[in-house]
Amino acid sequence: MTILDRSEWYDIARETNWTPTFVTEEELFPEVMTGGLGVTRDKWEKYDEPYKTSYPEYVKIQREKDAGAYSVKAALERNKLFETADPGWISILKSHYGGLALGEYAAMSAEARMTRFGPAPGMRNMATFGMLDENRHTQLQLYFPHEHCSKDRQFDWAVKAYHTNEWAAIATRRMVDDLFLGRDAISIAIMLTFAFETGFTNMQFLGLSSDAAEVGDYTFSSLISSIQTDESRHAQIGGPALEVLIANGKKAEAERMVYQGIAGAWRLFCVLTGPSMDYNTPLAHRKHSFKEFMQEWIIGQFERSLIDLGLDLPWYWDKLVAEFDYMHHAYQLGLWYWRPTIWWNPAAGVTPDERDWLEEKYPGWNDTFGKCWDVIIENVVAGRMDKTYPETLPILCNMSQLPICAIPGNGWNVKDYPLEYQGRTYHFNSEIDRWMFQQSPERYRDHMSLVDRLLAGQIQPPDIGGILKYMNIAPGECGDDAHKYAWADAYRVNPFSKSAA
Amino acid sequence: MSQLPIISNFQGDFLLQLVLGDSEGTINSLAEAAAYHSVGRRVAPQPGKVIRVRRQGETGFYKPDAKVSDTDIKAMDCLEFVFSDPDKK
């Protein structure tokens, strides 16, 4: 029997659709789950996915990908990378697995929502594969770190993080709930696949894969490449959905969803990827700065994809681009200073050579962020370690759940962006975060930040010990300096070398 | 003593922090409480300078010896703590 080429049957199979008779169209695709914005079914059937595959083709390719990733892992299990890699790199692995492994699981649920409630047959088809992709990514990113748990229990946070009240986990979970789990199918197509995956996941995974190969972590490099090829396929679900909405007079609604998706995704990538690239990656292995990477991927490519679709750039675009210069430096200071409250050991990344690099990539760094690090370095060198640990909490943004922070030192511009709503004052990190809240205040109004919970008496005793307990951070899991402060030796020898500029 | 949580935005620091002040204390004591969490940690001391307190976005400072509960400061107000010359009003 001759098997037809896929191109000869795919469109017919895809467009073969049910005409419901026992229930109404509205009951089959309720607006709250579908989010079709009133665009009729015949219009949604114009949805044309750019990447077409069949189930047998999908399974064959995925099997090969899995075999590749697992065989590289098996072959390299005895290569002692864990013992020999720079501790900063190990920290990147821990933050990545804890931050993303179960986020992939949430993305699987989101893809499943599109599989069931997507109004377009092609979308449902692609989302079925996307759902299987995300399940694979969850399994991979839980299994790969597991081999390290016996040596370092911080790796256990790959599975543990999302089940705790650790502050970075709350921030990640909040974003996942908002963009993946708590949305209808069309919003997911736009916020998760178009904004989050096209805009940011590509960057995270391409950058990490390249950095992993550079530091000799071929297991992680092959894992991440394997995942990224899936992401680049199912990330294409959102584009055609935007085209249908725009063609049917829903451009403003489509833009609003894109803008919310970008704003939500940016904060998480900023806190996870920014410090990873500019501080935790060993200096000798850094290819690009985080800012250069953002300029290439967000300005160079994602901005073009927005324009190609006929969408206007978000009102906040210039503000977001300006944050490329400073926001992740501020988050890095927060991660390092509040290191007992995170599940990985952040690298300080401020040796004299590293400061020269930061100054070159971010002119003015020494005069701003460097001023805070000057004080920290003096304390470390003088053995005043108590001054390098926090005794209070940062104020957390009521949208991102990350510290409200900005530029310190001689460029000091830290500011609260408050909002009064129904008798409660909310605090935000920027106009963008406040705008996000204002889009659906009823969606966000009842959430309490960690600071709100402390003040409400939910954290007992209300001190650092009580906070760590509330966060489920057990002894042996608290973060500390990745290099055990060895980087400060350069300043002990020559205390005047700290200001590289 | 009556604890009053406020938001400290300390000049030269990189973030906003939760600071517990004493509503029965003075503005100066509130400044000291805020300085404890910033100065010598991430902000270099400025010998000879005093720390003045103002509400975010305003230019006028609270009187250093004013009792906090006699001012308009409420729980979780965002206050700026700024180094200043001692003789500057």
Side-chain angles (χ1 to χ4, degrees):
Chain A
M1 186 177 80
T2 305
I3 296 175
L4 286 174
D5 185 77
R6 171 169 36 83
S7 61
E8 296 178 66
W9 59 262
Y10 185 88
D11 286 345
I12 296 170
R14 183 192 60 174
E15 286 163 16
T16 301
N17 209 355
W18 281 295
T19 302
T21 53
F22 295 106
V23 294
T24 64
E25 185 79 20
E26 290 68 34
E27 286 174 306
L28 192 59
F29 293 104
E31 180 65 15
V32 68
M33 301 301 278
T34 295
L37 294 175
V39 175
T40 54
R41 178 176 163 152
D42 59 315
K43 299 288 196 307
W44 278 114
E45 287 181 357
K46 298 272 192 297
Y47 176 101
D48 188 20
E49 66 275 30
Y51 191 104
K52 295 176 173 63
T53 190
S54 67
Y55 187 70
E57 289 171 313
Y58 175 82
V59 171
K60 181 173 182 294
I61 291 169
Q62 296 305 96
R63 185 179 184 282
E64 287 165 5
K65 283 190 204 170
D66 257 8
Y70 282 100
S71 63
V72 169
K73 178 181 187 299
L76 296 178
E77 265 177 8
R78 293 199 184 91
N79 80 343
K80 306 284 183 196
L81 179 96
F82 183 83
E83 288 78 12
T84 57
D86 185 280
W89 178 254
I90 300 295
S91 296
I92 290 174
L93 299 183
K94 291 172 184 170
S95 62
H96 173 89
Y97 285 128
L100 292 187
L102 290 190
E104 303 269 18
Y105 190 72
M108 181 180 75
S109 295
E111 294 277 348
R113 185 158 299 163
M114 290 189 288
T115 299
R116 166 61 184 85
F117 293 103
M123 174 187 287
R124 296 197 292 271
N125 204 31
M126 281 195 85
T128 305
F129 299 128
M131 179 178 65
L132 295 170
D133 289 340
E134 302 293 13
N135 188 36
R136 186 175 91 90
H137 303 171
T138 311
Q139 292 174 340
L140 283 166
Q141 290 175 102
L142 290 177
Y143 181 67
F144 275 53
H146 187 68
E147 71 170 282
H148 302 308
C149 286
S150 61
K151 290 172 268 187
D152 186 336
R153 62 187 293 172
Q154 287 180 331
F155 273 103
D156 192 33
W157 278 65
V159 68
K160 182 175 173 179
Y162 274 53
H163 302 292
T164 72
N165 282 319
E166 194 277 341
W167 65 269
I170 292 175
T172 311
R173 207 163 57 220
R174 189 220 69 81
M175 193 280 299
V176 162
D177 281 348
D178 193 16
L179 301 190
F180 304 180
L181 292 176
R183 298 282 178 177
D184 56 65
I186 292 301
S187 299
I188 289 168
I190 293 169
M191 292 183 181
L192 167 58
T193 76
F194 183 77
F196 185 84
E197 290 175 337
T198 310
F200 293 93
T201 312
N202 264 331
M203 182 192 76
Q204 164 90 353
F205 283 55
L206 284 173
L208 266 179
S209 177
S210 158
D211 288 347
E214 187 72 22
V215 300
D217 189 349
Y218 298 109
T219 302
F220 193 67
S221 180
S222 104
L223 164 72
I224 292 300
S225 296
S226 181
I227 292 173
Q228 198 274 331
T229 54
D230 290 352
E231 296 285 334
S232 63
R233 170 173 33 76
H234 68 237
Q236 297 175 44
I237 293 174
L242 283 167
E243 288 172 3
V244 172
L245 289 176
I246 294 165
N248 289 280
K250 303 293 180 186
K251 182 185 170 193
E253 291 87 341
E255 283 177 336
R256 187 165 164 255
M257 285 188 265
V258 171
Y259 300 171
Q260 287 178 286
I262 295 171
W266 158 241
R267 281 275 170 267
L268 190 66
F269 278 89
C270 189
V271 72
L272 281 178
T273 311
S276 289
M277 292 186 74
D278 284 357
Y279 292 89
N280 284 294
T281 298
L283 184 59
H285 299 305
R286 289 180 206 162
K287 283 185 177 170
H288 309 280
S289 69
F290 178 62
K291 178 183 175 183
E292 288 164 345
F293 215 71
M294 292 300 296
Q295 285 174 327
E296 179 181 344
W297 283 94
I298 300 299
I299 307 285
Q301 302 204 23
F302 190 53
E303 181 181 294
R304 195 169 58 222
S305 68
L306 289 176
I307 293 166
D308 287 349
L309 278 163
L311 298 172
D312 295 331
L313 293 177
W315 64 268
Y316 58 68
W317 198 241
D318 291 344
K319 295 178 191 299
L320 186 138
V321 171
E323 288 191 10
F324 296 174
D325 271 316
Y326 66 87
M327 189 51 74
H328 67 295
H329 298 304
Y331 286 150
Q332 161 69 5
L333 262 169
L335 290 169
W336 192 89
Y337 201 86
W338 270 263
R339 59 202 180 284
T341 68
I342 58 178
W343 68 84
W344 66 97
N345 301 326
V350 289
T351 63
D353 286 347
E354 287 168 323
R355 291 182 66 146
D356 283 344
W357 183 87
L358 286 163
E359 182 66 31
E360 179 197 331
K361 298 295 183 183
Y362 302 91
W365 185 94
N366 274 303
D367 200 37
T368 52
F369 294 94
K371 293 294 180 191
C372 287
W373 283 107
D374 286 345
V375 180
I376 291 171
I377 289 165
E378 284 180 16
N379 286 331
V380 172
V381 169
R384 294 189 295 265
M385 295 308 292
D386 60 312
K387 292 290 186 186
T388 74
Y389 288 104
E391 293 185 56
T392 187
L393 285 177
I395 298 298
L396 299 170
C397 172
N398 280 116
M399 176 51 60
S400 70
Q401 308 302 314
L402 296 172
I404 296 178
C405 52
I407 300 173
N410 292 332
W412 182 54
N413 73 344
V414 182
K415 191 178 166 188
D416 181 27
Y417 292 84
L419 177 72
E420 291 284 330
Y421 179 76
Q422 293 185 343
R424 179 178 164 190
T425 303
Y426 298 82
H427 303 277
F428 299 101
N429 193 41
S430 69
E431 285 181 63
I432 306 172
D433 296 284
R434 186 166 58 188
W435 172 83
M436 277 285 283
F437 183 93
Q438 288 171 313
Q439 298 313 294
S440 313
E442 69 287 352
R443 184 179 181 84
Y444 306 113
R445 66 185 175 198
D446 296 328
H447 191 273
M448 295 172 78
S449 75
L450 203 65
V451 172
D452 296 330
R453 298 177 203 189
L454 181 78
L455 294 173
Q458 294 179 14
I459 301 174
Q460 294 295 335
D463 55 23
I464 289 293
I467 290 166
L468 291 178
K469 189 178 164 200
Y470 183 79
M471 291 182 177
N472 278 81
I473 296 181
E477 295 176 345
C478 281
D480 200 355
D481 182 78
H483 298 93
K484 302 190 187 320
Y485 310 96
W487 53 269
D489 289 348
Y491 299 101
R492 292 190 176 94
V493 174
N494 179 9
F496 299 105
S497 68
K498 70 189 178 195
S499 296
Chain B
M1 176 176 172
S2 180
Q3 283 193 330
L4 181 74
I6 58 105
I7 297 174
S8 164
N9 186 9
F10 207 99
Q11 182 184 7
D13 211 345
F14 78 100
L15 82 171
L16 304 183
Q17 294 186 103
L18 176 67
V19 166
L20 290 179
D22 175 6
S23 62
E24 298 308 305
T26 63
I27 290 293
N28 259 341
S29 68
L30 194 60
E32 285 170 16
Y36 179 81
H37 294 290
S38 291
V39 178
R41 294 174 184 269
R42 297 170 304 271
V43 177
Q46 294 194 21
K49 296 282 181 76
V50 296
I51 298 163
R52 300 215 187 276
V53 185
R54 69 187 176 202
R55 187 175 285 279
Q56 176 175 293
E58 293 187 4
T59 52
F61 294 108
Y62 291 104
K63 288 181 181 170
D65 55 355
K67 192 173 162 186
V68 174
S69 59
D70 289 340
T71 70
D72 61 352
I73 296 173
K74 305 185 301 299
M76 294 305 283
D77 275 351
C78 186
L79 303 175
E80 292 179 345
F81 297 85
V82 180
F83 289 107
S84 176
D85 292 325
D87 52 350
K88 190 176 175 185
K89 298 295 177 190

